[in-house]
């Protein structure tokens, strides 16, 4: 809970939240809080999808989107 609270504080101060939402999702997943993790990952993907196309095409952004989609596909396929 403390780690999630710290990430939420950082995220609130950040203009770009997708990276922090992904990290939050990873922490929640490791804690076994899968519903909350899924919600954070969905929010991260929504943040990426709302970016201007030139920002979405950046290597770091596409890599993060790929990681998010990979975890979400694990949830969708029942692996998690």
């Amino acid at each position: 809970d403390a780690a999630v609270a710290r990430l939420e504080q950082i995220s609130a101060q950040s203009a770009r939240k997708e990276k922090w939402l992904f990290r939050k999702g990873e922490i929640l997943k490791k804690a076994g809080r899968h519903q909350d993790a899924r919600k954070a990952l969905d929010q991260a993907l929504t943040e990426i999808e709302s970016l201007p196309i030139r920002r979405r095409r950046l290597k770091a952004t596409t890599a993060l989107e790929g990681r998010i989609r990979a975890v979400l596909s694990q949830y969708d396929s029942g692996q998690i």
Side-chain angles (χ1 to χ4, degrees), residues 15-63:
R16 303 259 317 257
K17 300 184 184 330
E18 61 274 4
K19 175 175 62 173
W20 305 113
L21 288 165
F22 173 71
R23 289 185 179 178
K24 179 180 175 181
E26 287 289 289
I27 290 168
L28 292 167
K29 182 178 86 168
K30 288 178 183 178
R33 295 173 53 188
H34 297 292
Q35 186 175 10
D36 293 333
R38 174 70 195 240
K39 183 178 175 183
L41 293 166
D42 284 336
Q43 289 172 336
L45 192 58
T46 299
E47 288 287 327
I48 289 175
E49 290 171 345
S50 71
L51 291 172
I53 195 70
R54 63 180 166 70
R55 291 222 174 159
R56 282 192 71 184
R57 289 184 180 162
L58 294 174
K59 186 176 181 179
T61 306
T62 58

Side-chain angles (χ1 to χ4, degrees), residues 68-79:
I68 293 167
R69 290 188 185 279
V71 176
L72 288 173
S73 72
Q74 290 177 338
Y75 278 108
D76 291 342
S77 67
Q79 294 176 359

